[in-house]
Amino acid sequence: MRQEVTFAQALEGTLVLVNDAHPLQAWPGPEELSPALPDTPRVLLRRPAAAMLSALMDSLSAAGRIVPVSGWRAHAEQEALYADSVRDNGLAFTQTYVALPGCSEHESGLAIDVGEARDEIDFLRPAFPDTGVCAAFRAAAPRYGFILRYPDGARHITHIGSEPWHFRYVGVPHAAYITRRGCTLEEYIEELRAYTPERPLRLHADGRDWRIFRVALSQSGAAFEAPGGCLWQTSADNCGGLIVTLWGAP
């Protein structure tokens, strides 16, 4: 069955690549945001990401041991954060740990910085060791659709230093694949260019079989064929394409 997605609809999604070469093209409205956790009303995420973060925290009984530090940021907030960091920490530090305004995943509402619960928490670099409940969170995150976005040794690709506290929601099958491959979101988006409706990437995750492919996005939008009886989601990649994820297909 032929499915059509308008250009405006195709600007958003959980796989949008946001970095210094790919500024954000669409921002969430207030109705699309929700508290990252029920008891943190000032830290917001897009609703699907918030629901999955809450489920992840519940699975680990992590309340009171892990705290959300920073979620969605308005563009003006990112501008102020960047300027304040340059003033207080210098340009080199800021370029390592703070994204340029318009190029921050936090503006998308899909990124969350988490920290180990302590009396004092650094807003820019919260402590999140690879031990205890923090290590358990990191290991379980892909099952709930989150990836460690800025792994150690990947700055030449992401242009951001290692941030063990920064997690990005991309969705379950994608998070499982990215983590298993040990790649970055940049590398995954580039890899998906090779997968077409005729030759999709086939994955098994979360007890389901998934098919993933990319179609070109034009000013009129994009179209693709989805077999009857299957469910599908689409996401812009912010690189001129639309990523289609199918499951439940015959």
Side-chain angles (χ1 to χ4, degrees), residues 1-6 9 197 213 215-216 220-234 242 244-246:
M1 182 180 300
R2 182 177 175 84
Q3 306 291 342
E4 296 185 356
V5 179
T6 68
Q9 291 172 325
F213 56 86
V215 294
S220 60
F224 60 93
E225 295 291 330
C230 78
L231 301 174
W232 54 270
Q233 289 180 335
T234 63
L242 186 75
V244 180
T245 304
L246 304 174

Side-chain angles (χ1 to χ4, degrees), residues 22-33:
H22 300 90
L24 195 62
Q25 302 296 312
W27 289 260
E31 73 284 355
E32 299 174 87
L33 298 169

Side-chain angles (χ1 to χ4, degrees), residues 30-84:
E31 73 284 355
E32 299 174 87
L33 298 169
S34 173
L37 295 175
D39 58 351
T40 58
R42 294 186 179 181
V43 181
L44 304 177
L45 287 174
R46 285 185 180 264
R47 292 184 182 278
M52 295 305 282
L53 178 65
S54 183
L56 169 56
M57 291 284 285
D58 287 347
S59 75
L60 302 172
S61 299
R65 297 188 291 163
I66 293 175
V67 295
V69 177
S70 182
W72 170 78
R73 296 176 194 153
H75 185 69
E77 183 181 358
Q78 187 68 25
E79 288 181 318
L81 183 67
Y82 192 91
D84 289 349

Side-chain angles (χ1 to χ4, degrees), residues 126-180:
F128 201 71
D130 196 19
T131 57
V133 69
C134 297
F137 181 102
R138 186 174 290 110
R143 296 199 300 272
Y144 294 85
F146 289 91
I147 59 169
L148 179 64
R149 179 65 177 93
Y150 303 118
D152 189 32
R155 188 182 178 188
H156 64 292
I157 299 170
T158 65
H159 299 171
I160 295 289
S162 173
E163 293 192 355
W165 56 84
H166 181 111
F167 291 83
R168 161 68 189 267
Y169 183 73
V170 294
V172 171
H174 311 287
Y177 185 78
I178 290 169
T179 303
R180 185 167 65 245

Side-chain angles (χ1 to χ4, degrees), residues 162-198:
S162 173
E163 293 192 355
W165 56 84
H166 181 111
F167 291 83
R168 161 68 189 267
Y169 183 73
V170 294
V172 171
H174 311 287
Y177 185 78
I178 290 169
T179 303
R180 185 167 65 245
R181 287 288 303 273
C183 63
T184 63
L185 183 57
E186 282 84 357
E187 292 169 306
Y188 181 56
I189 294 299
E190 182 63 28
E191 181 179 339
L192 288 179
R193 290 179 179 271
Y195 294 101
T196 66
E198 295 76 27

Side-chain angles (χ1 to χ4, degrees), residues 204-247:
H204 183 79
D206 194 33
R208 298 173 178 172
D209 292 315
W210 309 79
R211 286 187 286 170
I212 303 164
F213 56 86
R214 183 182 190 268
V215 294
L217 176 63
S218 70
Q219 289 298 316
S220 60
F224 60 93
E225 295 291 330
C230 78
L231 301 174
W232 54 270
Q233 289 180 335
T234 63
S235 173
D237 60 12
N238 205 20
C239 301
L242 186 75
I243 307 302
V244 180
T245 304
L246 304 174
W247 69 100

